[in-house]
């Protein structure tokens, strides 16, 4: 029966559902090391997660490109010299600030800035380590 068969993309997405499995943990560790050696925004020839990319609108044809971006993890630090904010104590915070947008949005913005002639369609998480999160932007 046709309804019992699963395509390749289904198997891929099943694999990515269990990110803490031995296989994926090893893969992500190796990939994170590789991505750390590259520039923070780099063009990729094909998506790391083809199933996810296709669900988000990517098609393997002219006009669709993938960029991988590295974004620093952690909260936002107020950019002031020596922590001197000047003013009332209520506005004196420097370290424990929350940025109003997520890292994914930050990654999309960076690619949009680098590739001014292209439009950002969508993006997805690839891997992360203690310092960075990596996203692929379509």
């Amino acid at each position: 029966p046709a309804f019992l068969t699963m395509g390749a993309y289904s198997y891929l997405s099943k694999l990515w559902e269990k990110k803490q499995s031995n296989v994926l943990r090893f893969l992500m560790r190796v990939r994170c090391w590789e991505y750390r050696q590259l520039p923070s925004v780099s063009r990729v020839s094909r998506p790391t997660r083809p199933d996810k990319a296709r669900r988000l609108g990517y098609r393997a044809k002219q006009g669709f490109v993938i960029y991988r971006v590295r974004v620093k993890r952690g909260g936002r630090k107020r950019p002031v010299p020596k922590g001197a904010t000047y003013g009332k104590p209520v506005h004196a915070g420097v370290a424990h600030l929350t940025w109003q947008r997520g890292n994914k949005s930050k990654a999309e913005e960076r690619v949009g800035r680098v590739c001014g002639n292209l439009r950002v369609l969508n993006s997805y998480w690839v891997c992360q380590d203690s310092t960075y999160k990596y996203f692929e932007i379509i």
Side-chain angles (χ1 to χ4, degrees):
F3 62 88
L4 289 177
T5 57
M6 246 174 34
Y9 292 119
S10 304
Y11 282 107
L12 266 176
S13 56
K14 284 277 182 217
L15 197 65
W16 272 94
E17 275 173 19
K18 297 179 173 60
K19 292 178 183 67
Q20 291 195 337
S21 67
N22 288 340
V23 175
L24 266 178
R25 279 173 71 178
F26 173 75
L27 260 178
M28 287 197 282
R29 192 164 69 240
V30 172
R31 279 181 182 154
C32 269
W33 177 86
E34 186 190 345
Y35 299 163
R36 266 199 305 276
Q37 318 307 315
L38 298 170
S40 60
V41 177
S42 56
R43 169 91 187 265
V44 191
S45 58
R46 60 187 70 246
T48 308
R49 302 173 61 180
D51 57 319
K52 185 72 170 173
R54 281 180 62 83
R55 261 179 303 174
L56 295 178
Y58 170 80
R59 296 292 177 263
K61 59 183 193 180
Q62 281 187 328
F64 285 88
V65 290
I66 303 265
Y67 276 83
R68 189 180 305 116
V69 190
R70 181 172 72 209
V71 180
K72 270 267 204 193
R73 294 178 65 181
R76 178 180 180 275
K77 189 167 184 282
R78 196 188 301 275
V80 287
K82 298 182 189 171
T85 54
Y86 303 110
K88 307 279 183 191
V90 69
H91 300 301
V94 174
H96 301 283
L97 305 174
T98 314
W99 206 50
Q100 291 303 307
R101 286 163 39 212
N103 281 335
K104 187 171 168 236
S105 151
K106 196 188 290 186
E108 288 174 4
E109 184 189 335
R110 284 191 190 163
V111 168
R113 215 180 283 137
V114 168
C115 314
N117 59 333
L118 301 173
R119 290 187 189 174
V120 170
L121 176 64
N122 222 321
S123 63
Y124 55 91
W125 177 92
V126 180
C127 67
Q128 66 188 41
D129 56 17
S130 58
T131 318
Y132 300 106
K133 276 193 178 195
Y134 297 92
F135 296 94
E136 283 188 356
I137 286 73
I138 305 165

